[in-house]
Amino acid sequence: MNLHEYQAKQLFQQFGIAVPDGMVVDSSQTASAAAQSLGGDAWMVKAQVHAGGRGKAGGVKRVQGLSELQQVVDTLLQTRLVTGQTGAAGQPVNQVLIEKPTGIKRELYLGMLVDRARERVVCMASEAGGMDIEDVARTQPEKILTVEVNPVSGLMPFQCRQLAFALGLGEQVKALSQIMQGLYKLFLANDLSLVEINPLVVTADNTLLALDAKINLDDNALYRHPQLGEWRDASQEDERENRASRFGLNYVSLDGNIACMVNGAGLAMATMDLIKLHGGEPANFLDVGGGTTADKVAEAFKLIISDPKVKAILVNIFGGIVRCDLIAEGIIQAVREVELAVPVIVRLEGTNVEQGRQLLADSGLAITTADGLTGAAEKAVAAAGGQG
């Protein structure tokens, strides 16, 4: 789950990390009131969307005077911002953050993430602040500095100083250490998977300020943070993925035309690979989980056919925890309920597989069965018209 910049900055402040004075608004009228409350005659207007690259896309602007402020806010609130991370459809701008401008001497990058390979939280820093850090890592990897945090000892003061000296900071060494310690406490306390400050700026008066903020939360830990779960902005997420999460389905929308419904993440990945191998393109990743029920299968089918690109559906179920005959009943119920108009190919294996296949054969529905996964993938690609 992602947070908006203004939400991330609220958390920053709770952990002693300085951010610019600002207020979030949803209309030009409230923007004017916010600007007058902040003071001055110039402000930064920042579109609040779950994507990087807002500045290049016109989503971050400096304005002078209330008239220009209202005009820019009105324009942003009526658009879908398209950045390098959103795709062509962009994301809706429902709120903007109004901040006082900051005098900047230097721009740095500071972040923390879970490195699964190392099984550690890793701190990253770079002098290339304000830039796309993925591009920096790809083209100038030597500019990315890292330190690993031992989970027993935690982030040590010497590690903070190590990064500060490597960044060429002088009088800000102590300030950077305090920010890093605050970020690490924030990271652990809220079960984050990623936090970034890009840029972390050295201001005109030689202080450090988090000019931007990005936070990703671990969805699996949201039950421990219900107050953060309330900050979820569904308008920034794929509608089908949101719907799937409500029914306990793991769904990711893709660009192909062969929909997949599988129980088990590993099996789902293998199914998608075989579709690709045989010349097709998967339309989604959909894991219905081990405790599959008829109702869950029906919801999965509804989710699949809501994608207009889908030309065929491949169901690949291994009956272990749930018997294949019960899965077959769910498939039959779902096909009848949603009145499918696209071919359905079903491959069942596991407990009571013969009973399940017989139920499908006797259903009178246009359901094609397959004995093996390779054969099922070939049939799905052919039903979708070949190349996806």
Side-chain angles (χ1 to χ4, degrees), residues 138-159:
R138 183 174 60 255
T139 60
Q140 299 173 294
E142 71 280 359
K143 289 192 174 183
I144 306 294
L145 312 170
T146 63
V147 295
E148 296 180 20
V149 182
N150 187 302
V152 176
S153 58
L155 180 63
M156 301 299 290
F158 81 87
Q159 293 178 305

Side-chain angles (χ1 to χ4, degrees), residues 8 25 42 59 79 86 108 168 188 190 256 276 278 296 298 324 354 359:
V25 299
T79 62
T86 64
L108 308 170
L188 296 184
N190 293 283
K276 187 82 172 177
H278 291 287
K296 186 179 279 192
C324 286
E354 294 303 329
L359 284 170

